[in-house]
Amino acid sequence: MFLNKTMFLRPKNKLEDDASPQTDRIITCPSCRKKMPVKEISDALKVCDNCGYHFEMHARERIEKLFDADSFEEIMADLTSKNILSFPDYDKKLSESMTRSNENESVIVGTARVNGRKCAVFSMEYYFMMGSMGAVTGEKITSLFEHATEHDLPVVGFCLSGGARIQEGVISLMQMAKVSGAVEKHDRKGLFYLSVLLNPTTGGVTASFATQGDIILAEPNALIGFAGPRVIEQTMRRSLPKGFQRAEFLKDKGFVDKIVDRRDLRDTISSLLSIHSKEE
Amino acid sequence: MEAYEIISAVRSGKRPTAALFIERLFDSFIELYGDRSFADDPAIVGGIALLGEMPVTVIAIEKGSSVDERVKRNFGSAKPEGYKKALRLMKQAEKFGRPILTIIDTPGAYSGMEAEERGQGYAISNNLLNMISLKTPIISLFIGEGGSGGALALAVSDEVWILEGAVYSVISPEGAASILWKDSSKADEAANYLKLTADELDKLKVVDKIIKESGPFYSRLKKDISKKFTSLLTLDGEELIDKRYARFRKY
């Protein structure tokens, strides 16, 4: 179900805005405390060149910087959420999130190329309700997998989510089954799905498509889990050890294939797409 | 009844747990244990039962009836090994062409440290992926609490049935109130908005049938399950999974 294609919209990006010549602001790395011009960070894929700390990134910016220039063709860009359960304040929350993220939903989907090789891609948006999964989020990802299955395309998915969208109640929960169905059909056709887990990936997204990839990558230090740390602390009645539920911990426990620094991600994606390519 | 009163009732410990349903609905039951990789999870009871003469694989989340049993069953909160055991038994059912009944009553998947270490998210996602394409009929019966992903991990089914006094929700009302309004005492208000009662779930088409709890309901339910399995068993595997895909594609 593809509604329409829209022109590439440039996101209103906080770091980029701040880096405009008028402000030329200095930013402090929250990890190593190094001070540096914002522009330096933006040019370096928003990774601190001193300690490797990965700053947050917009969904669109991620595609723009990791895939071939201008290769992203977005689909279903205009699809927006409805307040299906008449949940109080949800309409307001949606419109605030649109303003904050400059996106219509918590995920953008379409096709793009890496070194000329075409794939289907979805990218979840931190600044839209922390990538929470509503019916439109699920619809866009499901349709993307269906499109990829129909056209024999691999899927690269950037997963980032606080979990289910409470304001859509059980309909949000149903998205986990809906997307899983589309992932399964794509899988059954022998097509490649590369899942990249970002900070944070939790809840219903972890318990569905984020962990259904043929290969699962993660960015360094990304928080990845089913239950959030606070919920676990309440269950255990104790604080959690340092590094619990971080990407490195998940790799040690056997749930992540590889941790990839964002600066190496484009090359890794390119190699994996090439290895799994069905083209001559 | 207000949504929150219904929630309080399913948590009261006064409703029958899955064990009674297994006893009343089936003529015999052989329990099978273990996930073949780490442990047996007592929160999930699984095995093969006879429904009249029809062999059925039964997978149920059991909360326990006494204090000791509730502790043993972890209050119906399953760990990854429980979901893996469930999947093992589902695959076994598919191999031998047995239909599957899942009985669901859980506050949610266990949210402790060991569950995370053993991949709770992956265990659930793997069940979703496998259930949606399982070539044998599945009916899910919600008898009490239907807590989020921990319930859905056993409910990607051809038919989802719910007792009139049971609930199914993406989050507990306390959790919703605490996240949205930083005030868990507003849980009763959140319960209304979450649309988690049998009637509301029916309106949202999340459930296919509401089971009235009055009269001789176990014998009625037994007949209904038997009839539905008989009709689903006439479909071949491909028809079955196409129908199941469409059932969940609509949301």
Side-chain angles (χ1 to χ4, degrees):
Chain A
M1 176 183 102
F2 291 136
L3 300 183
N4 57 19
K5 289 184 181 183
T6 56
M7 290 303 289
F8 192 89
L9 296 169
R10 194 164 175 82
K12 199 175 274 169
N13 177 311
K14 194 168 171 290
L15 284 182
E16 283 181 8
D17 285 353
D18 291 350
S20 62
Q22 291 91 338
T23 54
D24 200 18
R25 206 165 62 84
I26 298 292
I27 193 169
T28 306
C29 172
S31 177
C32 71
R33 316 303 300 170
K34 186 190 168 187
K35 293 184 189 329
M36 54 210 131
V38 166
K39 192 175 179 312
E40 218 170 89
I41 293 292
S42 297
D43 290 349
L45 283 162
K46 293 189 173 169
V47 177
C48 171
D49 66 356
N50 186 45
C51 72
Y53 177 82
H54 285 48
F55 288 85
E56 274 120 30
M57 219 175 176
H58 281 280
R60 192 172 297 274
E61 191 184 10
R62 197 177 294 277
I63 293 177
E64 192 182 307
K65 288 193 171 165
L66 293 173
F67 291 78
D68 296 352
D70 301 324
S71 71
F72 182 49
E73 287 186 45
E74 189 173 4
I75 43 185
M76 304 178 83
D78 291 343
L79 210 54
T80 53
S81 288
K82 292 189 190 80
N83 190 355
I84 33 180
L85 303 186
S86 305
F87 210 97
D89 302 327
Y90 183 35
D91 293 299
K92 193 170 143 241
K93 184 88 193 164
L94 284 171
S95 75
E96 283 169 3
S97 300
M98 284 182 197
T99 308
R100 188 157 180 242
S101 64
N102 210 18
E103 298 295 351
N104 284 332
E105 242 309 324
S106 64
V107 69
I108 55 172
V109 305
T111 58
R113 290 176 186 271
V114 191
N115 292 328
R117 208 176 290 282
K118 194 175 179 184
C119 63
V121 60
F122 69 86
S123 184
M124 300 184 78
E125 173 62 45
Y126 183 91
Y127 296 97
F128 196 105
M129 299 179 80
M130 186 69 90
S132 86
M133 180 153 63
V136 170
T137 317
E139 183 63 32
K140 287 172 87 167
I141 299 174
T142 300
S143 299
L144 183 78
F145 272 96
E146 288 174 338
H147 176 81
T149 305
E150 190 187 335
H151 297 278
D152 289 322
L153 289 173
V155 175
V156 176
F158 297 103
C159 302
L160 179 156
S161 183
R165 187 160 310 164
I166 296 170
Q167 295 91 337
E168 294 190 18
V170 74
I171 298 301
S172 167
L173 187 69
M174 293 301 114
Q175 304 310 311
M176 292 166 65
K178 181 170 96 176
V179 179
S180 296
V183 174
E184 193 279 328
K185 282 195 172 186
H186 185 257
D187 176 65
R188 210 187 323 151
K189 207 177 173 190
L191 297 166
F192 179 54
Y193 169 30
L194 175 65
S195 161
V196 185
L197 311 186
L198 310 171
N199 185 38
T201 303
T202 61
V205 167
T206 296
S208 62
F209 57 86
T211 53
Q212 290 168 346
D214 294 295
I215 292 181
I216 302 172
L217 306 179
E219 280 197 347
N221 203 41
L223 179 83
I224 302 159
F226 175 61
R230 257 177 305 165
V231 174
I232 301 168
E233 284 180 345
Q234 277 171 16
T235 304
M236 307 302 291
R237 296 193 183 88
R238 55 168 282 200
S239 57
L240 299 174
K242 201 173 176 308
F244 189 74
Q245 292 186 305
R246 294 291 166 180
E248 294 73 14
F249 173 89
L250 267 93
K251 179 172 160 276
D252 286 348
K253 295 292 174 189
F255 293 101
V256 162
D257 284 289
K258 193 173 168 59
I259 295 169
V260 182
D261 188 295
R262 196 182 287 158
R263 290 165 292 191
D264 301 326
L265 199 49
R266 180 183 159 88
D267 286 346
T268 306
I269 293 171
S270 177
S271 306
L272 289 172
L273 287 181
S274 160
I275 287 165
H276 293 90
S277 170
K278 292 196 159 185
E279 293 164 25
E280 287 306 308
Chain B
M1 237 194 323
E2 287 286 305
Y4 199 73
E5 289 174 51
I6 295 175
I7 294 254
S8 304
V10 298
R11 291 169 174 173
S12 67
K14 289 176 187 153
R15 288 174 63 88
T17 66
L20 190 68
F21 282 81
I22 295 176
E23 188 190 307
R24 294 286 177 88
L25 295 175
F26 297 102
D27 299 285
S28 68
F29 179 60
I30 305 167
E31 188 169 356
L32 303 169
Y33 298 86
D35 71 344
R36 297 291 190 272
S37 102
F38 178 75
D40 180 63
D41 184 353
I44 293 189
V45 171
I48 306 167
L50 283 178
L51 182 65
E53 288 178 1
M54 185 193 294
V56 173
T57 288
V58 181
I59 296 160
I61 308 185
E62 172 60 38
K63 280 186 172 176
S65 299
S66 65
V67 174
D68 284 352
E69 211 203 336
R70 281 184 194 131
V71 171
K72 175 186 157 195
R73 307 271 182 203
N74 200 25
F75 306 91
S77 277
K79 295 176 185 171
E81 50 272 26
Y83 294 112
K84 288 182 199 171
K85 168 167 77 175
L87 181 57
R88 176 175 80 82
L89 296 177
M90 287 191 267
K91 287 286 187 187
Q92 187 187 75
E94 181 184 47
K95 175 178 174 183
F96 295 105
R98 282 194 288 273
I100 299 166
L101 178 74
T102 65
I103 303 175
I104 291 153
D105 187 13
T106 178
Y110 185 56
S111 55
M113 282 173 71
E114 69 266 42
E116 292 291 317
E117 281 171 0
R118 297 200 288 272
Q120 188 71 285
Y122 177 73
I124 295 171
S125 83
N126 199 35
N127 277 21
L128 306 183
L129 199 68
N130 279 283
M131 280 186 90
I132 196 105
S133 56
L134 207 68
K135 291 177 178 170
T136 199
I138 314 170
I139 298 176
S140 292
L141 183 65
F142 283 72
I143 61 166
E145 268 188 288
S148 199
L152 181 68
L154 298 181
V156 185
S157 318
D158 303 300
E159 293 272 327
V160 179
W161 297 358
I162 190 167
L163 265 62
E164 58 184 336
V167 297
Y168 189 11
S169 179
V170 71
I171 190 168
S172 71
E174 289 79 9
S178 139
I179 292 171
L180 294 176
W181 307 314
K182 314 277 176 250
D183 183 359
S184 59
S185 69
K186 288 187 178 167
D188 52 348
E189 204 182 318
N192 285 328
Y193 291 125
L194 285 168
K195 309 275 192 279
L196 42 70
T197 63
D199 282 340
E200 297 284 6
L201 293 163
D202 185 47
K203 281 183 213 154
L204 292 170
K205 299 196 181 345
V206 168
V207 299
D208 304 289
K209 186 183 178 76
I210 298 178
I211 312 291
K212 298 269 175 239
E213 295 181 34
S214 51
F217 93 97
Y218 288 103
S219 60
R220 221 173 43 229
L221 183 57
K222 183 174 178 170
K223 266 187 219 142
D224 288 348
I225 292 171
S226 180
K227 223 170 114 185
K228 184 52 78 176
F229 276 150
T230 305
S231 110
L232 288 171
L233 281 166
T234 63
L235 301 174
D236 71 31
E238 293 300 328
E239 287 173 314
L240 205 56
I241 64 176
D242 284 349
K243 250 183 96 199
R244 198 178 302 139
Y245 188 85
R247 191 199 176 283
F248 287 92
R249 184 65 185 84
K250 68 178 187 257
Y251 301 114

